[in-house]
Amino acid sequence: MRALPLLLGALLASGCTSIGVSAGAAPSASVRTQEIPDTPVGRQLAWWLGAITRHPIPAADVVEHFAPDFVEEIPVAEVNRVSDHFPDPRFTIRSATTVEIVGDLRDTWGVVWRVTMGVNREGLIDYLLVVPPGTEGR
């Protein structure tokens, strides 16, 4: 199993935006709908995008949706620290398989972050990589 840390970098510039989800999870009303695949990773992405709008994400929810190895490496406080930047998420999918999804997520200031999420055989999130612009290849 792999559990990659949530990565944060310096927040950049200004602007404010929003986005959306759909796929079985019940996102908040402020989240607009975009076609998210009804796959194991798509369902987890839909859950996460909805959960980050109801910040902070309760520890019990993190434990329920993330693989034990991930939670061992990345504390709930860190998951919430990252999620705090996206109270009204706008997500655009770049690529998706049944177990991994890559896309762009706008933060409160309009900065676009690259998100890569993967799930294990049980359908739990075993990695969530959130990187700021300009650091994707590092």
Side-chain angles (χ1 to χ4, degrees), residues 15-137:
C16 194
T17 353
S18 314
I19 175 177
V21 293
S22 157
S28 75
S30 70
V31 178
R32 295 184 209 131
T33 304
Q34 176 192 351
E35 188 69 31
I36 292 180
D38 187 15
T39 61
V41 73
R43 288 186 291 275
Q44 290 292 17
L45 176 66
W47 167 80
W48 183 67
L49 290 173
I52 63 179
T53 66
R54 299 180 299 275
H55 192 268
I57 303 170
D61 288 356
V62 172
V63 169
E64 181 181 335
H65 289 272
F66 286 82
D69 288 349
F70 184 97
V71 177
E72 220 173 89
E73 273 189 56
I74 309 299
V76 172
E78 180 67 7
V79 172
N80 277 312
R81 187 171 76 88
V82 170
S83 300
D84 189 39
H85 295 291
F86 309 102
D88 190 17
R90 181 175 298 268
F91 190 84
T92 304
I93 296 171
R94 289 180 160 266
S95 66
T97 67
T98 59
V99 296
E100 182 179 83
I101 204 158
V102 178
D104 295 327
L105 182 63
R106 288 188 184 274
D107 69 15
T108 303
W109 301 273
V111 177
V112 178
W113 297 61
R114 178 66 45 87
V115 173
T116 304
M117 176 185 282
V119 296
N120 63 16
R121 290 182 189 145
E122 291 79 35
L124 298 173
I125 301 167
D126 69 348
Y127 64 94
L128 175 59
L129 185 61
V130 179
V131 295
T135 60
E136 295 89 356

